Amino acid sequence: MDTSVTPAAEENVWGGGNKPLGASYGKMMMWFFIVSDALTFSGFLAAYGFSRFKFIETWPIADEVFTHVPFFHGNYPMYYVAFMTFILIMSSVTMVLAVDAGHHMKKSKVVLYMFLTIIGGAIFVGSQAWEWATFIKGDYGALETKGGRILQFVNAETGERAALGDFAASIPDVRQEHLEQNGVWYYGDESSLPTYSLNEVVEGFKSNPNILIRTETLTDDHQKTMLTREESLEKIEDAVLVVEGANLVRNEYGSRLFADFFFFITGFHGFHVFSGVVINIIIFFNVILGTYERRGHYEMVEKVGLYWHFVDLVWVFVFTFFYLV
C-alpha cells in the first residue's frame, strides 16, 4: 500500500487541514508555547508561595510597600497597582476587538484597536519600570541587625512610619570623610554609601523619645511588632548598618526574599509584556501596509492576541500573589 504523502496533502497538514483542535499550525504552536510558559510561571509562583509560607512571620505587608502614586505625595496603598492592572486588562479588551475586526476584514478598526493595545502595554511597562525604581529607592529607610533582621521606625504620637531623615542627627565629623571630593563611596560591608551613617541614625534616635522601633516580625493580628521605648533603646544596639530601599541583598521592608521574588517574577512578566508590545508594533505596521489584507485573513493578529491574553492572565495571578494575598 502506498503510504507516501503528496505535496498537496503535506501542505494541507501544515495549513491546519487535518483540523487538530480546529486550529492552524501557527495557532497550535502558539498554544504549545503558552502552555510551556504557563508551567514556567507556575513554578515561579509556587516557589514564591512556599517561601512566603516558610517566612510568613517576617514577610512584608503589601499595603505598606506599594503605596506610591506618580506626582502625588502620600499613602495610597495599592492605588497605582490597581490602575496598572486596569490598563492591562483593558488592553486585552482592545485586542479582542482587533481580532474581531480582523475576522470581519475591517482594516481601519484593526489599526485602531491594535494601536490602543500598544498604548496600554506601553503604559503598563512604563508604570512597572517606575514602580521598580521607587521600590529600589525606598521610602523611609531602616537598620539591619547582626542577625540580618530589619528594624523600622515609628512616630509614637501618630503611629505612622518615621523616615530616617525625620530624626537622624547631623554629625559633620562622621560624614566629612565620606564627601564626594574625598572619593569615599562605600562602607566596608555595604554596597553603597547611604544617606545617613549608622552613628547619625542611632544618635538621632536616642535624642528623640517619640521615635520607637518596630521589628519585621508579624503579630497574631498581622501587624508589625512594636517595641516600647526601653526595648527600642536596647534593640538598636544590635544594628550594624543602614538599609535604604530594596535590592537582591537587602530590603528595608522586611524579608530579602520578598525583594528577590519581586524583581525576578515581575521582571520576567514585564519582559513578556515588553516583548508583546514590540511584536504588536510589528504586526500593527504590517496591518497598515495591507500585508494581511492581501493574504485574505488576519490570523497573525489572532495569534499575537493569544499571547497578549496569556500575558494578561499571568498578571492576574502575579497581582494576586504579590499584592492581594
Side-chain angles (χ1 to χ4, degrees), residues 219-283:
T219 61
D220 292 337
D221 56 353
H222 300 286
Q223 299 296 323
K224 298 290 186 180
T225 302
M226 188 77 68
L227 303 182
T228 64
R229 179 63 182 176
E230 291 72 21
E231 292 172 333
S232 298
L233 288 170
E234 181 180 353
K235 192 69 175 177
I236 201 170
E237 298 300 328
D238 295 334
V240 293
L241 56 87
V242 178
V243 179
E244 292 179 313
N247 51 52
L248 296 179
V249 180
R250 295 183 174 90
N251 176 16
E252 76 167 51
Y253 301 100
S255 174
R256 66 188 65 179
L257 270 178
F258 177 85
D260 295 343
F261 277 111
F262 176 80
F263 288 126
F264 189 78
I265 295 180
T266 62
F268 192 57
H269 176 265
F271 173 75
H272 279 69
V273 178
F274 175 76
S275 300
V277 171
V278 172
I279 296 172
N280 279 338
I281 291 175
I282 296 173
I283 302 303

Short mmCIF file of all heavy atoms in Angstrom, two decimals, residues 219-283:
data_model
loop_
_atom_site.label_atom_id
_atom_site.label_comp_id
_atom_site.label_asym_id
_atom_site.label_seq_id
_atom_site.Cartn_x
_atom_site.Cartn_y
_atom_site.Cartn_z
N THR A 219 2.70 40.10 64.31
CA THR A 219 1.95 39.61 65.46
C THR A 219 0.80 38.74 64.98
O THR A 219 0.61 38.52 63.77
CB THR A 219 1.40 40.79 66.28
OG1 THR A 219 0.51 41.56 65.45
CG2 THR A 219 2.54 41.69 66.76
N ASP A 220 0.00 38.24 65.92
CA ASP A 220 -1.12 37.37 65.56
C ASP A 220 -2.17 38.09 64.72
O ASP A 220 -2.90 37.46 63.95
CB ASP A 220 -1.79 36.81 66.84
CG ASP A 220 -0.86 35.84 67.57
OD1 ASP A 220 0.04 35.28 66.91
OD2 ASP A 220 -1.04 35.66 68.80
N ASP A 221 -2.28 39.42 64.87
CA ASP A 221 -3.24 40.18 64.07
C ASP A 221 -2.60 40.79 62.83
O ASP A 221 -3.08 41.78 62.28
CB ASP A 221 -3.90 41.27 64.92
CG ASP A 221 -2.87 42.21 65.54
OD1 ASP A 221 -1.66 41.93 65.43
OD2 ASP A 221 -3.28 43.23 66.11
N HIS A 222 -1.47 40.19 62.41
CA HIS A 222 -0.80 40.55 61.16
C HIS A 222 -0.32 42.00 61.15
O HIS A 222 -0.38 42.68 60.11
CB HIS A 222 -1.71 40.30 59.96
CG HIS A 222 -2.13 38.87 59.83
ND1 HIS A 222 -1.28 37.87 59.38
CD2 HIS A 222 -3.31 38.26 60.11
CE1 HIS A 222 -1.93 36.72 59.38
NE2 HIS A 222 -3.15 36.92 59.82
N GLN A 223 0.17 42.47 62.27
CA GLN A 223 0.79 43.79 62.38
C GLN A 223 2.24 43.62 62.81
O GLN A 223 2.60 42.65 63.47
CB GLN A 223 0.03 44.66 63.39
CG GLN A 223 -1.42 44.92 63.04
CD GLN A 223 -1.59 45.70 61.76
OE1 GLN A 223 -0.80 46.60 61.47
NE2 GLN A 223 -2.62 45.38 60.98
N LYS A 224 3.07 44.58 62.43
CA LYS A 224 4.47 44.52 62.83
C LYS A 224 4.58 44.69 64.35
O LYS A 224 3.82 45.44 64.96
CB LYS A 224 5.26 45.63 62.14
CG LYS A 224 5.28 45.53 60.62
CD LYS A 224 6.12 44.37 60.13
CE LYS A 224 6.24 44.38 58.61
NZ LYS A 224 7.05 43.28 58.10
N THR A 225 5.53 43.98 64.95
CA THR A 225 5.72 44.03 66.41
C THR A 225 6.31 45.37 66.83
O THR A 225 7.41 45.74 66.39
CB THR A 225 6.64 42.89 66.87
OG1 THR A 225 6.08 41.63 66.48
CG2 THR A 225 6.81 42.92 68.38
N MET A 226 5.61 46.10 67.68
CA MET A 226 6.06 47.39 68.15
C MET A 226 6.76 47.22 69.50
O MET A 226 6.26 46.54 70.40
CB MET A 226 4.87 48.33 68.31
CG MET A 226 5.26 49.77 68.61
SD MET A 226 5.83 50.63 67.15
CE MET A 226 4.29 50.74 66.22
N LEU A 227 7.92 47.83 69.65
CA LEU A 227 8.67 47.76 70.88
C LEU A 227 8.43 49.02 71.73
O LEU A 227 8.12 50.09 71.19
CB LEU A 227 10.17 47.64 70.59
CG LEU A 227 10.61 46.44 69.72
CD1 LEU A 227 12.13 46.45 69.57
CD2 LEU A 227 10.13 45.12 70.30
N THR A 228 8.57 48.87 73.01
CA THR A 228 8.50 50.02 73.90
C THR A 228 9.77 50.85 73.73
O THR A 228 10.73 50.42 73.06
CB THR A 228 8.36 49.58 75.36
OG1 THR A 228 9.55 48.87 75.74
CG2 THR A 228 7.14 48.67 75.53
N ARG A 229 9.78 52.02 74.34
CA ARG A 229 10.96 52.87 74.24
C ARG A 229 12.18 52.18 74.84
O ARG A 229 13.28 52.22 74.27
CB ARG A 229 10.70 54.21 74.95
CG ARG A 229 11.88 55.19 74.92
CD ARG A 229 12.22 55.62 73.51
NE ARG A 229 13.38 56.52 73.51
CZ ARG A 229 13.95 57.01 72.41
NH1 ARG A 229 13.47 56.67 71.22
NH2 ARG A 229 14.98 57.82 72.50
N GLU A 230 12.01 51.54 75.97
CA GLU A 230 13.12 50.84 76.62
C GLU A 230 13.61 49.69 75.74
O GLU A 230 14.81 49.49 75.57
CB GLU A 230 12.69 50.32 77.99
CG GLU A 230 12.44 51.39 79.03
CD GLU A 230 11.15 52.17 78.77
OE1 GLU A 230 10.27 51.63 78.04
OE2 GLU A 230 11.02 53.29 79.27
N GLU A 231 12.66 48.93 75.19
CA GLU A 231 13.04 47.81 74.31
C GLU A 231 13.71 48.33 73.05
O GLU A 231 14.65 47.71 72.52
CB GLU A 231 11.81 46.98 73.97
CG GLU A 231 11.22 46.22 75.15
CD GLU A 231 9.89 45.57 74.81
OE1 GLU A 231 9.19 46.09 73.89
OE2 GLU A 231 9.54 44.56 75.44
N SER A 232 13.25 49.47 72.56
CA SER A 232 13.82 50.05 71.35
C SER A 232 15.26 50.47 71.57
O SER A 232 16.14 50.24 70.73
CB SER A 232 12.98 51.25 70.91
OG SER A 232 11.66 50.87 70.59
N LEU A 233 15.52 51.12 72.73
CA LEU A 233 16.88 51.55 73.03
C LEU A 233 17.82 50.35 73.15
O LEU A 233 19.00 50.43 72.76
CB LEU A 233 16.88 52.35 74.34
CG LEU A 233 16.26 53.75 74.26
CD1 LEU A 233 16.10 54.35 75.65
CD2 LEU A 233 17.10 54.66 73.37
N GLU A 234 17.31 49.26 73.65
CA GLU A 234 18.13 48.06 73.77
C GLU A 234 18.33 47.40 72.41
O GLU A 234 19.43 46.93 72.09
CB GLU A 234 17.46 47.08 74.74
CG GLU A 234 18.23 45.80 74.97
CD GLU A 234 17.54 44.86 75.93
OE1 GLU A 234 16.52 45.26 76.53
OE2 GLU A 234 18.02 43.72 76.08
N LYS A 235 17.29 47.38 71.61
CA LYS A 235 17.35 46.69 70.32
C LYS A 235 18.27 47.40 69.33
O LYS A 235 18.95 46.76 68.53
CB LYS A 235 15.94 46.59 69.73
CG LYS A 235 15.83 45.65 68.54
CD LYS A 235 16.02 44.21 68.96
CE LYS A 235 15.81 43.24 67.80
NZ LYS A 235 16.07 41.84 68.18
N ILE A 236 18.30 48.73 69.39
CA ILE A 236 19.08 49.47 68.39
C ILE A 236 20.57 49.22 68.54
O ILE A 236 21.35 49.45 67.60
CB ILE A 236 18.78 50.98 68.48
CG1 ILE A 236 19.14 51.65 67.15
CG2 ILE A 236 19.50 51.62 69.66
CD1 ILE A 236 18.67 53.08 67.04
N GLU A 237 20.98 48.70 69.68
CA GLU A 237 22.39 48.39 69.87
C GLU A 237 22.82 47.21 69.01
O GLU A 237 24.02 47.00 68.79
CB GLU A 237 22.66 48.07 71.35
CG GLU A 237 22.39 49.23 72.30
CD GLU A 237 23.25 50.45 72.00
OE1 GLU A 237 24.39 50.26 71.53
OE2 GLU A 237 22.77 51.57 72.21
N ASP A 238 21.86 46.44 68.50
CA ASP A 238 22.20 45.30 67.64
C ASP A 238 22.39 45.71 66.19
O ASP A 238 22.81 44.89 65.37
CB ASP A 238 21.09 44.24 67.71
CG ASP A 238 20.96 43.63 69.09
OD1 ASP A 238 21.96 43.62 69.82
OD2 ASP A 238 19.85 43.16 69.44
N ALA A 239 22.05 46.97 65.85
CA ALA A 239 22.12 47.42 64.46
C ALA A 239 23.57 47.52 63.99
O ALA A 239 24.46 47.93 64.75
CB ALA A 239 21.42 48.76 64.31
N VAL A 240 23.79 47.12 62.74
CA VAL A 240 25.15 47.15 62.20
C VAL A 240 25.25 47.99 60.92
O VAL A 240 26.35 48.39 60.54
CB VAL A 240 25.67 45.72 61.91
CG1 VAL A 240 25.84 44.95 63.19
CG2 VAL A 240 24.72 44.98 60.97
N LEU A 241 24.14 48.26 60.25
CA LEU A 241 24.22 49.08 59.04
C LEU A 241 22.86 49.68 58.70
O LEU A 241 21.81 49.22 59.17
CB LEU A 241 24.78 48.28 57.86
CG LEU A 241 24.08 46.98 57.44
CD1 LEU A 241 22.94 47.24 56.47
CD2 LEU A 241 25.09 46.04 56.81
N VAL A 242 22.90 50.69 57.84
CA VAL A 242 21.70 51.39 57.38
C VAL A 242 21.25 50.77 56.05
O VAL A 242 22.06 50.49 55.17
CB VAL A 242 21.98 52.89 57.18
CG1 VAL A 242 20.75 53.60 56.64
CG2 VAL A 242 22.42 53.52 58.49
N VAL A 243 19.95 50.54 55.95
CA VAL A 243 19.36 49.98 54.72
C VAL A 243 18.37 50.98 54.15
O VAL A 243 17.46 51.44 54.85
CB VAL A 243 18.64 48.64 55.00
CG1 VAL A 243 18.03 48.10 53.72
CG2 VAL A 243 19.61 47.64 55.60
N GLU A 244 18.55 51.32 52.87
CA GLU A 244 17.61 52.22 52.19
C GLU A 244 17.12 51.55 50.91
O GLU A 244 17.91 51.21 50.03
CB GLU A 244 18.30 53.55 51.85
CG GLU A 244 18.62 54.39 53.09
CD GLU A 244 19.32 55.69 52.75
OE1 GLU A 244 20.27 55.65 51.95
OE2 GLU A 244 18.91 56.74 53.28
N GLY A 245 15.81 51.34 50.82
CA GLY A 245 15.24 50.71 49.64
C GLY A 245 15.41 49.21 49.64
O GLY A 245 15.64 48.59 50.69
N ALA A 246 15.31 48.63 48.46
CA ALA A 246 15.37 47.18 48.34
C ALA A 246 16.24 46.79 47.15
O ALA A 246 16.26 47.48 46.13
CB ALA A 246 13.97 46.60 48.17
N ASN A 247 16.95 45.70 47.30
CA ASN A 247 17.73 45.12 46.21
C ASN A 247 17.80 43.62 46.42
O ASN A 247 17.05 43.07 47.23
CB ASN A 247 19.13 45.76 46.12
CG ASN A 247 19.84 45.74 47.46
OD1 ASN A 247 19.95 44.70 48.11
ND2 ASN A 247 20.32 46.92 47.90
N LEU A 248 18.68 42.95 45.72
CA LEU A 248 18.76 41.50 45.82
C LEU A 248 19.49 41.03 47.07
O LEU A 248 19.54 39.82 47.34
CB LEU A 248 19.45 40.93 44.57
CG LEU A 248 18.72 41.15 43.25
CD1 LEU A 248 19.53 40.56 42.10
CD2 LEU A 248 17.33 40.56 43.28
N VAL A 249 20.04 41.97 47.84
CA VAL A 249 20.79 41.61 49.04
C VAL A 249 20.05 42.03 50.30
O VAL A 249 19.96 41.28 51.27
CB VAL A 249 22.20 42.24 49.01
CG1 VAL A 249 22.97 41.87 50.27
CG2 VAL A 249 22.96 41.79 47.77
N ARG A 250 19.48 43.26 50.30
CA ARG A 250 18.80 43.78 51.48
C ARG A 250 17.48 44.42 51.10
O ARG A 250 17.28 44.83 49.96
CB ARG A 250 19.69 44.79 52.21
CG ARG A 250 20.94 44.14 52.78
CD ARG A 250 21.80 45.12 53.57
NE ARG A 250 22.90 44.40 54.19
CZ ARG A 250 24.08 44.21 53.61
NH1 ARG A 250 24.30 44.70 52.41
NH2 ARG A 250 25.03 43.54 54.22
N ASN A 251 16.60 44.52 52.09
CA ASN A 251 15.25 45.02 51.83
C ASN A 251 14.75 45.74 53.07
O ASN A 251 14.57 45.12 54.12
CB ASN A 251 14.32 43.86 51.45
CG ASN A 251 12.88 44.30 51.27
OD1 ASN A 251 12.60 45.48 51.12
ND2 ASN A 251 11.97 43.35 51.27
N GLU A 252 14.56 47.04 52.98
CA GLU A 252 14.13 47.82 54.15
C GLU A 252 12.72 47.46 54.61
O GLU A 252 12.33 47.79 55.73
CB GLU A 252 14.19 49.32 53.86
CG GLU A 252 13.06 49.84 52.99
CD GLU A 252 12.97 51.37 52.99
OE1 GLU A 252 14.00 52.03 52.76
OE2 GLU A 252 11.86 51.88 53.20
N TYR A 253 11.94 46.78 53.76
CA TYR A 253 10.55 46.46 54.11
C TYR A 253 10.41 45.15 54.88
O TYR A 253 9.35 44.87 55.42
CB TYR A 253 9.71 46.39 52.84
CG TYR A 253 9.73 47.67 52.05
CD1 TYR A 253 10.54 47.80 50.92
CD2 TYR A 253 8.95 48.76 52.42
CE1 TYR A 253 10.56 48.98 50.19
CE2 TYR A 253 8.98 49.94 51.70
CZ TYR A 253 9.78 50.05 50.58
OH TYR A 253 9.82 51.21 49.87
N GLY A 254 11.46 44.33 54.88
CA GLY A 254 11.37 43.06 55.59
C GLY A 254 12.24 42.00 54.95
O GLY A 254 13.39 42.27 54.56
N SER A 255 11.70 40.81 54.78
CA SER A 255 12.47 39.68 54.26
C SER A 255 13.07 39.99 52.90
O SER A 255 12.40 40.47 51.99
CB SER A 255 11.57 38.44 54.15
OG SER A 255 12.26 37.38 53.52
N ARG A 256 14.36 39.71 52.76
CA ARG A 256 15.04 39.97 51.48
C ARG A 256 14.51 39.07 50.38
O ARG A 256 14.61 39.40 49.19
CB ARG A 256 16.54 39.79 51.65
CG ARG A 256 16.98 38.37 51.96
CD ARG A 256 18.44 38.31 52.31
NE ARG A 256 18.71 39.01 53.54
CZ ARG A 256 19.93 39.09 54.08
NH1 ARG A 256 20.96 38.52 53.50
NH2 ARG A 256 20.11 39.74 55.21
N LEU A 257 13.96 37.90 50.75
CA LEU A 257 13.40 37.01 49.73
C LEU A 257 12.23 37.66 49.00
O LEU A 257 11.99 37.38 47.83
CB LEU A 257 12.93 35.70 50.38
CG LEU A 257 13.95 34.56 50.47
CD1 LEU A 257 13.34 33.37 51.18
CD2 LEU A 257 14.46 34.18 49.10
N PHE A 258 11.50 38.52 49.70
CA PHE A 258 10.38 39.23 49.06
C PHE A 258 10.90 40.05 47.89
O PHE A 258 10.31 40.03 46.79
CB PHE A 258 9.68 40.13 50.07
CG PHE A 258 8.57 40.96 49.48
CD1 PHE A 258 7.30 40.44 49.34
CD2 PHE A 258 8.81 42.26 49.07
CE1 PHE A 258 6.28 41.21 48.79
CE2 PHE A 258 7.80 43.03 48.52
CZ PHE A 258 6.52 42.50 48.39
N ALA A 259 11.98 40.79 48.10
CA ALA A 259 12.55 41.60 47.03
C ALA A 259 13.10 40.73 45.91
O ALA A 259 12.93 41.04 44.73
CB ALA A 259 13.66 42.50 47.59
N ASP A 260 13.74 39.62 46.27
CA ASP A 260 14.27 38.72 45.24
C ASP A 260 13.17 38.22 44.32
O ASP A 260 13.29 38.25 43.09
CB ASP A 260 14.97 37.53 45.90
CG ASP A 260 16.21 37.94 46.68
OD1 ASP A 260 16.70 39.06 46.47
OD2 ASP A 260 16.67 37.15 47.53
N PHE A 261 12.09 37.73 44.91
CA PHE A 261 10.98 37.22 44.11
C PHE A 261 10.29 38.35 43.34
O PHE A 261 9.85 38.15 42.21
CB PHE A 261 9.96 36.50 45.00
CG PHE A 261 10.32 35.08 45.31
CD1 PHE A 261 10.68 34.69 46.58
CD2 PHE A 261 10.30 34.12 44.31
CE1 PHE A 261 11.02 33.38 46.87
CE2 PHE A 261 10.64 32.80 44.57
CZ PHE A 261 11.00 32.43 45.85
N PHE A 262 10.18 39.50 43.98
CA PHE A 262 9.51 40.62 43.30
C PHE A 262 10.25 41.00 42.03
O PHE A 262 9.64 41.13 40.96
CB PHE A 262 9.43 41.82 44.25
CG PHE A 262 8.84 43.05 43.60
CD1 PHE A 262 7.47 43.18 43.47
CD2 PHE A 262 9.66 44.06 43.13
CE1 PHE A 262 6.92 44.31 42.87
CE2 PHE A 262 9.13 45.19 42.53
CZ PHE A 262 7.76 45.31 42.40
N PHE A 263 11.56 41.19 42.14
CA PHE A 263 12.33 41.59 40.96
C PHE A 263 12.32 40.49 39.90
O PHE A 263 12.21 40.78 38.70
CB PHE A 263 13.77 41.91 41.37
CG PHE A 263 13.92 43.19 42.13
CD1 PHE A 263 14.55 43.21 43.36
CD2 PHE A 263 13.43 44.38 41.63
CE1 PHE A 263 14.69 44.39 44.07
CE2 PHE A 263 13.56 45.56 42.32
CZ PHE A 263 14.19 45.57 43.55
N PHE A 264 12.43 39.25 40.33
CA PHE A 264 12.54 38.15 39.35
C PHE A 264 11.21 37.90 38.64
O PHE A 264 11.15 37.85 37.41
CB PHE A 264 13.00 36.88 40.05
CG PHE A 264 13.34 35.77 39.10
CD1 PHE A 264 14.54 35.77 38.41
CD2 PHE A 264 12.45 34.74 38.85
CE1 PHE A 264 14.85 34.77 37.51
CE2 PHE A 264 12.74 33.73 37.97
CZ PHE A 264 13.95 33.73 37.29
N ILE A 265 10.13 37.77 39.40
CA ILE A 265 8.85 37.40 38.78
C ILE A 265 8.23 38.57 38.03
O ILE A 265 7.79 38.41 36.89
CB ILE A 265 7.89 36.84 39.85
CG1 ILE A 265 8.44 35.53 40.41
CG2 ILE A 265 6.50 36.62 39.26
CD1 ILE A 265 7.56 34.89 41.48
N THR A 266 8.17 39.74 38.66
CA THR A 266 7.60 40.89 37.94
C THR A 266 8.49 41.30 36.78
O THR A 266 8.00 41.78 35.75
CB THR A 266 7.38 42.08 38.89
OG1 THR A 266 8.64 42.52 39.41
CG2 THR A 266 6.45 41.71 40.03
N GLY A 267 9.81 41.11 36.93
CA GLY A 267 10.70 41.41 35.82
C GLY A 267 10.51 40.45 34.66
O GLY A 267 10.51 40.86 33.49
N PHE A 268 10.34 39.18 34.98
CA PHE A 268 10.10 38.18 33.94
C PHE A 268 8.78 38.45 33.22
O PHE A 268 8.70 38.37 31.99
CB PHE A 268 10.08 36.79 34.57
CG PHE A 268 10.14 35.66 33.59
CD1 PHE A 268 11.18 35.55 32.68
CD2 PHE A 268 9.15 34.68 33.58
CE1 PHE A 268 11.24 34.50 31.77
CE2 PHE A 268 9.19 33.64 32.67
CZ PHE A 268 10.24 33.54 31.77
N HIS A 269 7.75 38.82 33.99
CA HIS A 269 6.47 39.15 33.37
C HIS A 269 6.60 40.45 32.57
O HIS A 269 6.05 40.56 31.47
CB HIS A 269 5.39 39.30 34.43
CG HIS A 269 4.07 39.74 33.88
ND1 HIS A 269 3.68 41.07 33.85
CD2 HIS A 269 3.05 39.04 33.31
CE1 HIS A 269 2.49 41.15 33.29
NE2 HIS A 269 2.09 39.95 32.96
N GLY A 270 7.31 41.43 33.12
CA GLY A 270 7.49 42.68 32.40
C GLY A 270 8.21 42.48 31.07
O GLY A 270 7.90 43.15 30.09
N PHE A 271 9.16 41.54 31.05
CA PHE A 271 9.84 41.22 29.79
C PHE A 271 8.86 40.66 28.77
O PHE A 271 8.93 40.96 27.58
CB PHE A 271 10.97 40.23 30.05
CG PHE A 271 11.62 39.70 28.80
CD1 PHE A 271 12.50 40.49 28.08
CD2 PHE A 271 11.34 38.42 28.34
CE1 PHE A 271 13.10 40.02 26.92
CE2 PHE A 271 11.93 37.94 27.18
CZ PHE A 271 12.82 38.74 26.46
N HIS A 272 7.92 39.83 29.25
CA HIS A 272 6.90 39.29 28.36
C HIS A 272 6.02 40.40 27.79
O HIS A 272 5.70 40.41 26.60
CB HIS A 272 6.03 38.28 29.11
CG HIS A 272 6.63 36.92 29.22
ND1 HIS A 272 7.73 36.64 29.99
CD2 HIS A 272 6.27 35.73 28.65
CE1 HIS A 272 8.03 35.35 29.89
NE2 HIS A 272 7.16 34.78 29.09
N VAL A 273 5.62 41.34 28.66
CA VAL A 273 4.78 42.44 28.19
C VAL A 273 5.54 43.31 27.19
O VAL A 273 5.01 43.69 26.14
CB VAL A 273 4.28 43.30 29.37
CG1 VAL A 273 3.44 44.47 28.87
CG2 VAL A 273 3.46 42.46 30.33
N PHE A 274 6.80 43.61 27.50
CA PHE A 274 7.61 44.41 26.59
C PHE A 274 7.76 43.71 25.24
O PHE A 274 7.64 44.35 24.18
CB PHE A 274 8.99 44.66 27.20
CG PHE A 274 9.95 45.38 26.29
CD1 PHE A 274 9.82 46.74 26.09
CD2 PHE A 274 10.96 44.69 25.64
CE1 PHE A 274 10.70 47.41 25.24
CE2 PHE A 274 11.83 45.35 24.80
CZ PHE A 274 11.71 46.71 24.59
N SER A 275 8.01 42.40 25.27
CA SER A 275 8.12 41.63 24.02
C SER A 275 6.81 41.69 23.25
O SER A 275 6.81 41.82 22.02
CB SER A 275 8.49 40.18 24.32
OG SER A 275 9.72 40.10 25.01
N GLY A 276 5.69 41.57 23.99
CA GLY A 276 4.38 41.65 23.35
C GLY A 276 4.15 42.99 22.69
O GLY A 276 3.57 43.07 21.59
N VAL A 277 4.59 44.07 23.34
CA VAL A 277 4.43 45.40 22.76
C VAL A 277 5.24 45.51 21.46
O VAL A 277 4.75 46.04 20.45
CB VAL A 277 4.88 46.48 23.77
CG1 VAL A 277 4.93 47.86 23.09
CG2 VAL A 277 3.92 46.53 24.96
N VAL A 278 6.47 45.01 21.49
CA VAL A 278 7.31 45.06 20.29
C VAL A 278 6.68 44.27 19.15
O VAL A 278 6.60 44.74 17.99
CB VAL A 278 8.72 44.52 20.60
CG1 VAL A 278 9.55 44.40 19.31
CG2 VAL A 278 9.43 45.42 21.59
N ILE A 279 6.19 43.07 19.45
CA ILE A 279 5.55 42.24 18.42
C ILE A 279 4.28 42.92 17.91
O ILE A 279 4.01 42.92 16.70
CB ILE A 279 5.22 40.84 18.98
CG1 ILE A 279 6.52 40.11 19.34
CG2 ILE A 279 4.42 40.02 17.98
CD1 ILE A 279 6.30 38.81 20.08
N ASN A 280 3.51 43.50 18.81
CA ASN A 280 2.29 44.20 18.40
C ASN A 280 2.61 45.37 17.48
O ASN A 280 1.85 45.65 16.54
CB ASN A 280 1.53 44.70 19.63
CG ASN A 280 0.70 43.62 20.29
OD1 ASN A 280 0.35 42.63 19.66
ND2 ASN A 280 0.38 43.81 21.56
N ILE A 281 3.71 46.06 17.75
CA ILE A 281 4.10 47.18 16.88
C ILE A 281 4.42 46.67 15.48
O ILE A 281 4.02 47.28 14.47
CB ILE A 281 5.30 47.93 17.49
CG1 ILE A 281 4.88 48.67 18.75
CG2 ILE A 281 5.89 48.90 16.47
CD1 ILE A 281 6.03 49.33 19.49
N ILE A 282 5.13 45.54 15.40
CA ILE A 282 5.45 44.97 14.08
C ILE A 282 4.18 44.58 13.33
O ILE A 282 4.01 44.91 12.15
CB ILE A 282 6.37 43.74 14.25
CG1 ILE A 282 7.72 44.17 14.86
CG2 ILE A 282 6.58 43.04 12.92
CD1 ILE A 282 8.63 43.01 15.23
N ILE A 283 3.27 43.89 14.04
CA ILE A 283 2.01 43.49 13.41
C ILE A 283 1.19 44.72 13.03
O ILE A 283 0.53 44.75 11.98
CB ILE A 283 1.20 42.58 14.37
CG1 ILE A 283 2.02 41.34 14.74
CG2 ILE A 283 -0.12 42.17 13.73
CD1 ILE A 283 2.48 40.52 13.58
#
